[in-house]
């Protein structure tokens, strides 16, 4: 059914859709009874020539029934929701791993837990943008925050929504019962790029997860050589990451081209060739002068020259 809350693929989403279906079924029954009784009375007791309505003065039985039954229903809904909410809000028991999630305009960044399998050679932890990889059948706790405005994390097949709020940490958990790719979307309007603020959760079979982590750490290590760290950090902290994706980092922008292998490309934006230090530097300084109408703004005077040099040095390592 695709990304849809009524197609649950994990215990959290199942819990939510169970409550939904119970409430929905009861609402349908109540609606049928009310509309049925109304229609029946309207036809049976309608005004006809020569007919005089019989006067009725209340019915104790009916009044008791329509007071007691709805009261019992509302109490049951409360107990059911309470019970399910305890399960849904229990972010701390049986957690397999905790992932830090940061929403920013306009991408999601994930930092994997402080465990040896996610450690890069430089001691930092594996990060990713837009895509979160998890093992199947395990409870993953998410600690959410935001860099700029409020965002909301929502992967419908795996669970409910949770706001990511600047300066504040909120928590939720997700779990996938089958391997697969689950799509999600930022659910709080957060500006121009809101619609493109997508989430992809990939659930791997448990026995393949360690192999995935090894590959991801190797890819990420490629982008974090110590001699180009300044450029790497400047790229991720600056405006670049808002528009460009570099796999193995939190940069997951969708506005501009992906730069994961920029240093192996034949040209820059189809207009500057080859991809070398001189051309990249010229391009970052003033892209519109080479390609009028490009979305990439002029950074000459906006980003210090030294920082642009650092960024270019780092991009040249992305083979
Ligand atoms: Cu982030 Cu909408």
């Amino acid at each position: 059914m695709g990304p849809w809350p009524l197609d649950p693929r994990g215990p959290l989403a199942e819990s939510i859709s169970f409550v939904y279906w119970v409430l929905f079924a009861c609402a349908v029954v109540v609606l049928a009874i009310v509309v049925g009784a109304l229609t029946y009375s309207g036809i049976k007791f309608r005004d006809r020539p020569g007919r005089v309505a019989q006067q009725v003065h209340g019915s104790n039985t009916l009044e008791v029934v329509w007071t007691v039954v709805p009261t019992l229903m509302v109490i049951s809904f409360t107990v059911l929701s309470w019970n399910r909410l305890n399960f849904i809000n229990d972010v701390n028991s049986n957690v397999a791993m905790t992932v830090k999630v940061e929403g920013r305009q306009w991408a999601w960044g994930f930092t994997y837990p402080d465990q040896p399998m996610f450690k890069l050679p430089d001691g930092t932890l594996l990060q990713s943008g837009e895509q979160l990889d998890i093992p199947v059948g395990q409870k993953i706790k998410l600690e959410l925050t935001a860099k700029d405005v409020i965002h909301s994390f929502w992967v419908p097949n795996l669970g409910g929504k949770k706001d990511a709020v600047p300066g504040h940490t909120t928590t939720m958990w997700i779990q996938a019962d089958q391997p697969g790719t689950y799509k999600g979307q930022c659910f709080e309007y957060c500006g121009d790029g809101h619609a493109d603020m997508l989430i992809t959760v990939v659930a791997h079979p448990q026995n393949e997860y360690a192999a995935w982590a090894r590959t991801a750490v190797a890819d990420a290590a490629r982008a974090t050589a110590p001699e180009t760290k300044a450029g790497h950090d400047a790229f991720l902290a600056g405006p670049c990451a808002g528009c460009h994706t570099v796999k193995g980092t939190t940069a997951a922008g969708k506005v501009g081209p992906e730069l994961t292998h920029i240093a192996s490309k034949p040209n820059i934006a189809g207009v500057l060739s080859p991809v070398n230090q001189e051309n990249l530097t010229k391009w970052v300084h003033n892209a519109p002068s080479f390609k009028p109408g490009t979305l990439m703004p002029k950074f000459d005077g906006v980003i210090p020259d030294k920082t642009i040099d650092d960024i270019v040095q780092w991009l040249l390592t992305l083979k």
Side-chain angles (χ1 to χ4, degrees):
M1 220 190 282
W4 180 243
L6 299 181
D7 180 20
R9 299 302 176 92
L12 178 54
E14 263 157 27
S15 213
I16 294 169
S17 77
F18 175 73
V19 174
Y20 170 83
W21 282 119
V22 170
L23 296 189
F24 183 72
C26 293
V28 167
V29 171
V30 170
L31 182 74
I33 292 172
V34 171
V35 173
L38 203 62
T39 311
Y40 172 79
S41 317
I43 294 169
K44 176 111 201 270
F45 303 111
R46 70 187 186 280
D47 186 26
R48 275 160 292 177
R51 191 189 141 89
V52 178
Q54 191 195 335
Q55 298 303 309
V56 180
H57 295 283
S59 159
N60 285 339
T61 317
L62 264 183
E63 292 202 14
V64 168
V65 168
W66 71 45
T67 306
V68 170
V69 171
T71 306
L72 288 179
M73 285 177 78
V74 171
I75 291 173
S76 330
F77 296 157
T78 309
V79 172
L80 174 73
S81 308
W82 188 280
N83 169 277
R84 295 286 91 187
L85 272 177
N86 273 340
F87 176 73
I88 291 166
N89 290 335
D90 175 16
V91 294
N92 288 319
S93 59
N94 304 315
V95 170
M97 58 189 242
T98 302
V99 176
K100 290 192 163 61
V101 183
E102 186 189 63
R104 68 183 137 80
Q105 288 168 316
W106 287 280
W108 293 97
F110 303 101
T111 305
Y112 289 83
D114 193 352
Q115 290 169 13
M117 72 189 290
F118 301 115
K119 274 246 162 69
L120 268 54
D122 67 354
T124 58
L125 293 168
L126 179 64
Q127 294 192 314
S128 65
E130 201 249 314
Q131 181 172 321
L132 172 64
D133 291 72
I134 61 170
V136 152
Q138 298 207 314
K139 184 166 173 177
I140 314 296
K141 178 179 176 181
L142 303 179
E143 291 180 349
L144 302 122
T145 187
K147 193 177 176 187
D148 31 45
V149 299
I150 297 177
H151 304 271
S152 176
F153 187 90
W154 190 38
V155 182
N157 300 113
L158 302 183
K161 311 176 184 91
K162 196 69 151 191
D163 278 3
V165 184
H168 188 76
T169 303
T170 51
T171 52
M172 70 179 293
W173 62 279
I174 54 170
Q175 179 174 328
D177 285 339
Q178 301 132 32
T181 299
Y182 305 98
K183 292 286 185 183
Q185 158 81 59
C186 176
F187 208 77
E188 181 81 39
Y189 182 68
C190 53
D192 288 354
H194 163 71
D196 294 319
M197 204 170 153
L198 305 175
I199 304 160
T200 305
V201 175
V202 179
H204 301 263
Q206 278 184 28
N207 57 356
E208 291 170 18
Y209 191 66
W212 167 82
R214 266 195 301 281
T215 315
V217 165
D219 274 355
R222 180 190 63 105
T224 54
E227 54 282 12
T228 50
K229 186 173 185 321
H232 166 264
D233 294 350
F235 185 94
L236 294 179
C240 320
C243 291
H244 296 286
T245 291
V246 177
K247 294 235 170 84
T249 74
T250 55
K254 292 283 186 295
V255 179
E258 183 181 326
L259 303 179
T260 307
H261 299 288
I262 174 70
S264 306
K265 291 272 154 69
N267 57 55
I268 301 166
V271 292
L272 275 174
S273 170
V275 179
N276 59 18
Q277 184 175 357
E278 186 196 345
N279 283 335
L280 271 176
T281 307
K282 283 199 281 192
W283 175 257
V284 179
H285 272 275
N286 194 348
S289 71
F290 299 99
K291 193 173 184 179
T294 182
L295 287 174
M296 171 117 166
K298 177 178 161 184
F299 285 111
D300 196 9
V302 178
I303 302 179
D305 283 2
K306 167 74 175 77
T307 308
I308 293 182
D309 286 347
D310 289 343
I311 290 171
V312 166
Q313 286 307 325
W314 179 63
L315 290 175
L316 288 169
T317 66
L318 302 180
K319 297 216 164 65

